[in-house]
């Protein structure tokens, strides 16, 4: 087994933290510890996913993929945790890192701003749950006196359940769902703009609370604006916390409870590289880190030197600290601290610093999210797993032997790697765009394209007696915008007319033809200059395409099954020693010029092209040209003779994103360790396979998402910090018609998944939950004085209680004055003493949640 990340030796034997002894090294595992009294205390497995706002946690996650271990350490910082706890967590992260041989990737997570990777750990738990209090609050134990709680249910895919400080309308908004837990009754209140997943998760959380109470709990679902439809008892109970007369004036209408953070740069494409180096301060003689800007994107792996450390700044989307393998142990240990110092130096405020993900990675142990920021990241060895670059030679051998498409459909991983649905021998029909319409192309010209035109290719094949359809639309680099718009519309029309809306639609830009497209033309196409006069450029109303009497084609091979003949200007300066060229003179004489570094595939392709024109070519080897040949090219001149370097394998990645362009800008949320059930039928999903993009159209996705999906994909590519080409092939796939070249990226695929699985029906779940309510529980709850808990506390008249000195009030209970309320000693302080001891007024103290009041009283020995 290989350990991704492991280098530079072994674990540190001097680490004696007993909490780490439970870790089985080099094996998949998951551990969470909480900082308690400066120690690491292991959290029970059944509590994973619940985090207290007043605490700090250390998390270690190790998973195995394709026999390689991926290790990640996270510290999670609650919004009300102490600086001391955060310092202990940071120190323990370094210790754990050393214990594991400086192998893992390190992450800093702040409450409400967690990374998608961190959130993915708790997907099976239904998301994260934030609870008030901390290790000192007593809230990690069950309390005898139940106190009502209000939770916000927020998120679309990764749900966060956040306990709010006060139970009132001002804590709520119309964009989320909320749980009001009154012990014997749980209300689910859904804002008008809450999304479907929030509503469903709120119901699920309410069900869990009922199960914890052995069914002795009613669940009432309240829709925003329908509160008056509740029964008399339900409404009375609901209004004990949320009087309807206060709703209009207090309910917030803002989009989110979360701050809308403002950054100088708000683009994924923002990318800067900084070098970190030691510098001796003349003032105090201390060695300090000096950070020097190196460049802006695009970035390349070659920009990183193993002798140094770097910071990669991706703006609000995160910063990465890269540690060279020859860097010192101190540099490794100080990496996270230096990163936080970098954020402060950039002038970010505290909330902005919390929102920015900070990650430390080690040289040769980089996770794919880091590599994906780079335009070029060559791998010395071919990447293992679904992400590897598939060998063109293997595809060629497959095509040359008897091709069995059923293998691809039974082994979807091979289909995904090869990107072949069959051998390309199915039936095809081709149209070209002219004058805002499409016209059929003569079959004799099926492998010929013009850079100034757009084409549609309808490909039809059979799988297990079922007819399948692909609609490719090819966009020439010199085609006009009106032609490109026409071809996109006509593809949709053809899909509905001849494919019953079931075709896979594939957008192809000239020069980026995928392997299956090439296989339809036996692996060889010709791309001529010019095109038909069309649309606004058609002044003579002509569709004729005429070749010049003299022209030259450059034969470029990307493997034996991917060869293109591209027309270039007919002069000697365009020759290239790495390629083969066809030169046509007076439409009758053909020469094939073979560069010294050209391949046999290119030479054979050139011969077949000339022979198809029923001409016999003259073969000319580089450096053996006659004067007559140079005359045809306008005279001998200099041309490119440097041998083309052999490309090392580029690391490729397969990533699934949930894409949204709400608010007029693109939002991207990545889904880690994805499977088929991560494809949400209400969404358009984007699968990034590095050299191609798949758009999966969910059955219930809205009209705007469907119509704008291609535009969103292009915007996604434009905003990619790696600055890949924007003209990659884009595949549009409809739910229920997924080909193996797509399903192979998802592991086991169940074609009956969506037909056998009833789509979650919110109304039926709502009805089922409320049908189990017990009327007597409403009556019991209404009578309980505990429902008025907060109101009773609010009614306390601070001035009516006798006053005593602080020294008298901190005595044992049996030594207190007779008229002192032992459960509320603070009301016996004078206003001056109260302010001196608590640093806030009594009114401010009352406004804090009960758990916070308890913590404050405990801290001054009045609890």
């Amino acid at each position: 087994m290989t350990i991704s990340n492991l280098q530079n030796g072994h674990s540190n034997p001097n680490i004696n933290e007993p909490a780490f002894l439970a870790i089985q090294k080099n094996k998949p595992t998951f551990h969470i510890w909480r900082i308690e009294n400066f120690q690491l205390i292991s959290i029970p497995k059944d509590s994973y996913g619940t985090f207290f706002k007043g605490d700090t946690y250390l998390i270690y996650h190790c998973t195995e993929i394709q026999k390689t271990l991926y290790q990640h350490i996270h510290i999670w910082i609650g919004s009300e945790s102490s600086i001391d706890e955060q310092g202990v967590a940071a120190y323990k992260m370094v210790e754990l890192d050393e214990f594991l041989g400086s192998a893992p990737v390190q992450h800093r997570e702040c409450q409400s701003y967690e990374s998608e990777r961190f959130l993915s750990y708790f997907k099976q738990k239904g998301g994260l749950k934030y609870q008030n209090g901390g290790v000192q609050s007593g809230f990690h134990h069950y309390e005898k006196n139940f106190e009502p709680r209000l939770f916000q249910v927020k998120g679309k895919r990764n749900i966060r359940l956040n306990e709010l400080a006060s139970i009132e309308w001002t804590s709520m908004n119309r964009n989320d769902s909320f749980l009001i837990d009154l012990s014997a009754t749980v209300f689910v209140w859904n804002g008008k703009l809450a999304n479907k997943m929030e509503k469903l998760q709120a119901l699920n959380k309410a069900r869990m609370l009922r199960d914890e109470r052995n069914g002795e709990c009613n669940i009432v679902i309240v829709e925003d604006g329908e509160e008056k439809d509740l029964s008399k008892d339900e409404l009375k109970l609901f209004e004990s916390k949320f009087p309807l007369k206060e709703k209009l004036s207090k309910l917030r209408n803002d989009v989110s409870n979360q701050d809308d953070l403002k950054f100088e740069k708000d683009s994924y494409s923002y990318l800067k590289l900084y070098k970190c180096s030691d510098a001796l301060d003349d003032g105090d003689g201390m060695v300090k880190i000096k950070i020097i800007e190196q460049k802006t994107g695009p970035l390349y792996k070659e920009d990183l030197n193993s002798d140094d450390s770097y910071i990669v700044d991706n703006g609000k989307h995160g910063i990465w600290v890269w540690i060279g393998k020859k860097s010192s142990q101190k540099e490794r240990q100080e990496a996270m601290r230096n990163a936080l110092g970098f954020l402060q130096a950039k002038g970010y405020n505290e909330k902005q610093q919390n929102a920015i993900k900070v990650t430390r990675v080690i040289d040769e142990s980089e996770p794919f999210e880091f590599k994906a920021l780079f335009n070029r990241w060559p791998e010395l060895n071919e990447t293992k797993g679904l992400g590897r670059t598939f060998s063109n030679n293997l595809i060629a051998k497959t095509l040359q032997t008897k091709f069995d498409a059923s293998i691809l459909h039974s082994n979807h991983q091979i289909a995904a790697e090869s990107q072949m649905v069959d051998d390309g021998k199915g039936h095809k029909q081709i149209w070209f765009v002219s004058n805002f319409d499409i016209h059929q192309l003569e079959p004799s010209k099926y492998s010929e394209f013009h850079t100034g035109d757009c084409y549609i290719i309808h490909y039809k094949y059979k799988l297990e007696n079922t007819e399948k359809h692909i609609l490719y639309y090819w966009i020439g680099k010199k085609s006009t915008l009106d032609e490109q718009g026409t071809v996109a519309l006509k593809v949709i029309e053809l899909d509905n007319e001849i494919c019953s809306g079931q075709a896979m639609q594939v957008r192809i830009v000239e020069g980026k033809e995928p392997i299956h497209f090439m296989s339809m033309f036996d692996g060889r196409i010709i791309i001529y200059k010019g095109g038909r006069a069309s649309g606004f450029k058609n002044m003579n109303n002509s569709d004729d395409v005429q070749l010049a009497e003299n022209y030259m084609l450059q034969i470029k091979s990307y493997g034996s099954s991917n060869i293109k003949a591209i027309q270039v200007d007919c002069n000697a300066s365009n020759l290239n020693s790495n390629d083969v060229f066809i030169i046509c003179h007076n439409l009758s004489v053909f020469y094939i010029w073979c560069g010294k570094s050209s391949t046999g595939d290119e030479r054979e392709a050139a011969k077949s092209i000339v022979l198809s024109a029923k001409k016999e070519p003259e073969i000319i080897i580089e450096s053996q040209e006659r004067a007559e040949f140079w005359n045809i090219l306008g005279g001998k001149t200099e041309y490119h003779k440097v041998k083309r370097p052999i490309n090392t394998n580029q690391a490729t990645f397969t990533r699934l994103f949930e894409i949204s362009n709400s608010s007029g800008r693109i939002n991207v949320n990545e889904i880690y360790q994805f499977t088929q059930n991560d494809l949400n039928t209400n969404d358009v999903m984007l699968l990034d396979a590095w050299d191609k993009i798949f758009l999966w159209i969910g059955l219930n996705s809205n009209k705007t998402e469907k119509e704008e999906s291609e535009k969103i994909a292009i915007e996604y590519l434009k905003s990619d910090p790696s600055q890949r080409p924007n003209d990659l092939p884009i595949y549009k796939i409809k739910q229920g018609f997924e080909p193996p070249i797509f399903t192979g990226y998802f592991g086991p695929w169940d074609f009956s998944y969506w037909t056998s699985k009833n789509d979650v029906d919110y109304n039926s779940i709502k009805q089922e939950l409320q049908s189990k309510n017990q009327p007597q529980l409403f009556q019991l709850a209404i009578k309980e004085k505990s429902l008025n808990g907060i109101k009773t506390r609010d009614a306390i008249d601070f001035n009516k209680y006798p006053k005593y000195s602080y020294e008298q009030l901190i005595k044992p209970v049996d030594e207190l004055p007779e008229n002192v309320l032992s459960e509320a000693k603070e009301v016996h302080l004078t206003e001056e003493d109260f302010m001196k001891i608590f640093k806030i007024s009594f009114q401010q103290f009352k406004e804090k949640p009960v758990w916070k009041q308890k913590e404050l009283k405990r801290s001054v020995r009045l609890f």
Side-chain angles (χ1 to χ4, degrees):
M1 178 184 294
T2 59
I3 310 266
S4 137
N5 317 342
L6 199 55
Q7 80 257 289
N8 192 23
H10 309 284
S11 58
N12 188 340
N14 297 320
I15 303 295
N16 56 5
E17 170 57 61
F20 300 157
L21 298 178
I23 298 175
Q24 288 185 291
K25 292 185 180 180
N26 303 341
K27 289 187 178 181
T29 187
F30 189 24
H31 292 274
I32 301 180
W33 301 272
R34 180 166 58 184
I35 308 299
E36 296 186 13
N37 297 319
F38 303 100
Q39 301 294 321
L40 288 181
I41 304 299
S42 183
I43 299 298
K45 298 284 186 184
D46 58 4
S47 296
Y48 282 13
T50 297
F51 293 88
F52 286 88
K53 298 178 184 179
D55 288 333
T56 302
Y57 296 76
L58 180 68
I59 298 95
Y60 172 58
H61 186 271
C62 178
T63 188
E64 182 180 347
I65 302 174
Q66 298 288 321
K67 297 185 178 180
T68 298
L69 291 180
Y70 295 89
Q71 304 174 80
H72 295 265
I73 302 174
H74 306 254
I75 53 173
W76 184 91
I77 300 171
S79 60
E80 296 166 1
S81 62
S82 70
I83 297 297
D84 288 342
E85 288 177 333
Q86 294 174 29
V88 172
Y91 179 76
K92 290 299 179 182
M93 172 186 266
V94 172
E95 279 195 349
L96 179 56
D97 182 64
E98 291 184 5
F99 178 77
L100 296 166
S102 297
V105 177
Q106 295 181 9
H107 307 261
R108 173 178 174 269
E109 311 282 351
C110 293
Q111 180 188 325
S112 300
Y113 303 106
E114 295 85 358
S115 65
E116 295 297 324
R117 176 180 290 280
F118 184 81
L119 293 172
S120 72
Y121 301 157
F122 307 99
K123 195 187 312 185
Q124 300 303 318
K125 289 275 188 179
L128 297 184
K129 180 180 180 180
Y130 307 137
Q131 282 197 224
N132 291 328
V135 65
Q136 298 298 330
S137 71
F139 268 62
H140 55 300
H141 300 297
Y142 290 107
E143 297 186 32
K144 291 181 180 179
N145 297 323
F146 177 87
E147 293 188 1
R149 299 180 296 176
L150 174 65
F151 290 94
Q152 177 189 35
V153 183
K154 184 161 188 63
K156 189 172 183 182
R157 183 172 298 277
N158 292 306
I159 298 293
R160 291 175 171 91
L161 189 66
N162 181 26
E163 185 178 355
L164 302 176
S166 58
I167 305 178
E168 54 186 331
W169 284 113
T170 54
S171 298
M172 297 162 69
N173 66 71
R174 297 186 186 276
N175 294 271
D176 300 316
S177 292
F178 295 83
L179 280 182
I180 304 146
D181 184 6
L182 305 179
S183 184
T185 301
V186 173
F187 286 95
V188 176
W189 186 88
N190 295 311
K192 282 185 177 178
L193 301 178
N195 67 58
K196 180 180 178 182
M197 286 303 296
E198 287 172 341
K199 292 181 179 181
L200 288 170
Q201 286 291 348
L203 295 186
N204 184 44
K205 298 296 183 184
R207 188 201 300 269
M208 290 170 63
L209 288 174
R210 172 187 276 171
D211 291 343
E212 288 175 6
R213 294 161 192 174
N214 299 316
E216 294 299 307
C217 172
N218 287 340
I219 296 174
V220 181
I221 294 95
V222 189
E223 304 298 337
D224 187 0
E226 299 178 11
E227 291 87 357
K228 291 184 178 179
D229 294 339
L230 296 172
S231 70
K232 182 180 178 181
D233 288 342
E234 291 171 347
L235 184 59
K236 187 172 183 180
L237 200 53
F238 183 80
E239 285 205 284
S240 70
K241 299 299 176 190
F242 298 93
L244 292 185
K245 64 182 180 181
E246 298 178 2
K247 178 182 178 183
L248 192 61
S249 61
K250 293 187 175 182
L251 179 64
R252 295 187 296 112
N253 291 304
D254 62 331
V255 171
S256 170
N257 186 44
Q258 213 166 297
D259 292 319
D260 183 16
L261 296 161
K262 302 294 183 185
F263 291 85
E264 281 185 28
K265 299 286 184 180
D266 191 24
S267 169
Y268 274 93
S269 58
Y270 174 78
L271 203 62
K272 281 189 178 181
L273 179 68
Y274 296 83
K275 182 179 176 180
C276 305
S277 61
D278 294 341
L280 191 65
D281 192 299
D282 294 333
D284 56 16
M286 297 288 290
V287 175
K288 297 184 178 179
I289 298 295
K290 187 176 182 181
I291 297 174
I292 307 166
E293 182 177 336
Q294 299 290 294
K295 62 180 295 192
T296 57
L299 303 183
Y300 305 93
K301 185 179 182 181
E302 295 83 353
D303 294 328
L304 305 175
N305 187 322
S306 294
D307 293 325
D308 298 311
S309 300
Y310 297 84
I311 289 176
V312 178
D313 181 7
N314 192 204
K316 82 164 201 176
H317 305 289
I319 69 167
W320 301 75
V321 185
W322 184 87
I323 306 296
K325 59 186 175 184
K326 296 180 184 177
S327 60
S328 67
Q329 184 178 16
K330 183 176 177 61
E331 285 179 305
R332 295 167 186 261
Q333 293 174 342
E334 298 289 325
M336 294 298 279
R337 189 173 67 85
N338 292 334
L340 296 178
F342 174 78
L343 290 179
Q344 292 171 3
K346 289 198 71 175
Y348 291 133
N349 62 39
E350 184 179 353
K351 287 186 177 180
Q352 289 173 331
Q353 290 178 42
N354 290 342
I356 296 173
K357 281 73 176 175
V358 178
T359 310
R360 187 214 73 172
V361 299
I362 299 293
D363 187 2
E364 294 187 359
S365 309
E366 302 85 353
F368 68 84
E369 307 101 291
F370 179 79
K371 294 177 183 178
L373 295 171
F374 288 71
N375 183 277
R376 184 175 62 245
W377 192 281
E379 298 282 24
L380 296 178
N381 298 308
E382 188 172 300
T383 307
K384 295 181 179 179
L386 294 180
R388 72 175 180 266
T389 305
F390 197 78
S391 167
N392 280 326
N393 291 330
L394 182 55
I395 297 172
K397 290 176 183 176
T398 304
L399 295 177
Q400 289 164 5
T401 57
K402 186 176 180 182
F403 190 96
D404 185 358
S406 64
I407 293 176
L408 297 178
H409 293 271
S410 61
N411 190 328
H412 293 193
Q413 180 172 334
I414 292 178
E417 290 171 338
S418 67
Q419 288 300 295
M420 297 288 287
V421 297
D422 71 348
D423 58 0
K425 303 298 184 185
H427 178 268
K428 59 181 174 287
Q429 190 174 5
I430 303 179
W431 295 264
F432 62 87
V433 173
S434 179
N435 293 320
F436 302 100
D437 205 352
I438 54 175
H439 309 272
Q440 287 198 30
L441 188 68
E442 296 176 24
S444 62
K445 298 184 180 294
Y446 268 10
S447 61
E448 299 177 9
F449 298 85
H450 289 263
T451 190
D453 287 337
C454 293
Y455 300 80
I456 296 175
I457 301 94
H458 173 218
Y459 184 76
K460 186 167 56 176
Y461 66 102
K462 280 199 171 184
L463 173 66
E464 298 176 352
N465 295 321
T466 302
E467 200 167 69
K468 301 287 184 180
H469 303 269
I470 303 175
L471 283 169
Y472 290 102
Y473 53 115
W474 187 92
I475 298 172
K477 288 182 179 178
K478 299 291 181 67
S479 60
T480 63
L481 290 176
D482 58 285
E483 287 172 325
Q484 295 172 24
T486 299
V487 76
L489 289 173
K490 292 299 179 182
V491 162
I492 297 173
E493 287 182 13
L494 285 175
D495 187 12
N496 292 327
E497 290 173 8
I498 63 177
C499 306
S500 302
Q502 300 177 7
M504 175 171 68
Q505 299 174 19
V506 186
R507 177 184 183 269
I508 299 172
V509 175
E510 176 190 337
K512 302 293 181 180
E513 296 80 7
I515 192 66
H516 183 262
F517 180 91
M518 295 299 296
S519 74
M520 296 189 299
F521 306 101
D522 295 324
R524 300 168 186 179
I525 63 173
I526 304 172
I527 302 174
Y528 291 112
K529 285 187 169 189
R532 295 163 181 81
S534 178
F536 296 119
K537 70 183 181 184
N538 187 356
M539 307 311 254
N540 301 317
N541 218 19
S542 170
D543 282 337
D544 292 338
V545 180
Q546 298 292 334
L547 280 172
E549 290 187 350
N550 299 324
Y551 63 88
M552 185 160 79
L553 298 175
Q554 182 176 13
I555 313 299
K556 301 199 71 164
S557 173
Y558 305 90
S560 60
S561 58
N562 189 354
I563 299 174
K564 296 162 190 172
I566 303 168
Q567 186 178 355
V568 295
D569 289 340
C570 194
N571 58 65
S573 64
N574 281 325
L575 294 174
N576 189 317
S577 295
N578 296 282
D579 297 317
V580 172
F581 290 78
I582 297 172
I583 296 95
C584 174
H585 180 57
N586 292 332
L587 293 178
S588 58
V589 179
F590 286 85
Y591 299 93
I592 294 180
W593 183 88
C594 303
K596 288 183 178 179
S597 300
S598 62
T599 67
D601 289 334
E602 289 173 332
R603 293 189 285 272
E604 289 302 314
K607 288 178 186 177
S608 67
I609 289 171
V610 176
L611 292 173
S612 67
K614 298 182 179 179
K615 302 290 183 180
E616 191 66 36
E618 179 180 339
I619 309 297
I620 297 176
I621 305 300
E622 183 179 6
S623 76
Q624 298 180 15
E625 304 88 352
R626 301 191 308 274
E628 177 189 350
F629 175 79
W630 294 120
N631 290 337
I632 291 171
L633 294 180
K636 187 175 181 179
T637 186
E638 288 298 315
Y639 58 85
H640 188 84
K641 295 181 180 179
V642 179
K643 188 172 182 179
R644 190 177 291 140
I646 298 173
N647 291 328
T648 55
N649 290 324
Q650 165 69 31
T652 59
F653 322 99
T654 306
R655 309 170 73 181
L656 183 66
F657 294 90
E658 180 180 63
I659 304 292
S660 169
N661 65 337
S662 59
S663 305
R665 62 176 184 170
I666 189 168
N667 292 311
V668 182
N669 290 314
E670 183 165 4
I671 299 161
Y672 286 85
Q673 300 178 22
F674 57 85
T675 59
Q676 181 182 1
N677 62 0
D678 286 306
L679 295 172
N680 192 329
T681 60
N682 300 295
D683 287 331
V684 172
M685 311 293 292
L686 186 148
L687 182 72
D688 181 355
W690 187 253
D691 57 355
K692 65 191 74 67
I693 299 292
F694 293 93
L695 288 167
W696 182 86
I697 314 296
L699 197 62
N700 302 321
S701 55
N702 64 52
K703 184 180 178 182
T704 302
E705 286 176 328
K706 291 176 181 177
E707 292 176 349
E708 297 291 315
S709 59
E710 185 178 309
K711 190 182 295 183
I712 290 174
I714 294 171
E715 285 300 312
Y716 165 79
L717 284 171
K718 286 180 179 178
S719 67
D720 180 12
S722 73
Q723 297 193 26
R724 279 177 289 170
N726 297 331
D727 54 2
L728 298 181
I730 297 174
Y731 294 70
K732 287 169 68 175
I733 297 170
K734 299 180 184 69
Q735 179 188 333
F737 301 97
E738 298 85 0
I741 60 173
F742 174 78
T743 60
Y745 291 108
F746 290 82
W749 186 272
D750 180 4
F751 281 99
S752 63
Y753 178 73
W754 286 294
T755 54
S756 60
K757 170 181 171 288
N758 293 326
D759 194 23
V760 181
D761 184 353
Y762 169 76
N763 288 324
S764 63
I765 295 177
K766 175 179 173 180
Q767 185 177 356
E768 181 259 327
L769 288 177
Q770 295 189 131
S771 68
K772 297 180 180 179
N773 286 346
Q774 305 173 51
Q776 69 274 16
L777 291 179
F778 288 124
Q779 294 293 331
L780 182 65
I782 291 170
K783 291 177 182 178
E784 287 181 355
K785 292 182 180 180
S786 60
L787 285 172
N788 299 317
I790 294 177
K791 291 188 177 182
T792 301
R793 288 191 291 274
D794 289 344
I796 291 177
D797 184 352
F798 179 76
N799 295 316
K800 80 172 186 179
Y801 291 94
K803 306 302 178 184
Y804 297 94
S805 69
Y806 173 68
E807 288 71 20
Q808 288 176 294
L809 294 173
I810 60 175
K811 289 182 178 180
V813 175
D814 56 353
E815 296 181 26
L816 289 173
E818 290 184 6
N819 54 358
V820 168
L821 297 174
S822 59
E823 73 278 6
K825 298 178 187 176
E826 69 277 5
V827 301
H828 297 285
L829 290 167
T830 64
E831 288 186 12
E832 183 181 353
D833 283 344
F834 194 97
M835 178 65 78
K836 181 180 177 181
I837 293 165
F838 285 95
K839 312 299 183 188
I840 56 175
S841 68
F842 181 72
Q843 183 59 38
Q844 290 172 315
F845 176 82
K846 281 200 309 177
E847 291 172 356
K848 293 189 177 295
V850 177
W851 68 268
K852 190 65 176 177
Q853 293 178 15
K854 288 182 180 180
E855 283 196 340
L856 288 171
K857 290 199 293 183
R858 183 180 283 107
S859 68
V860 296
R861 300 165 59 194
L862 287 174
F863 182 72

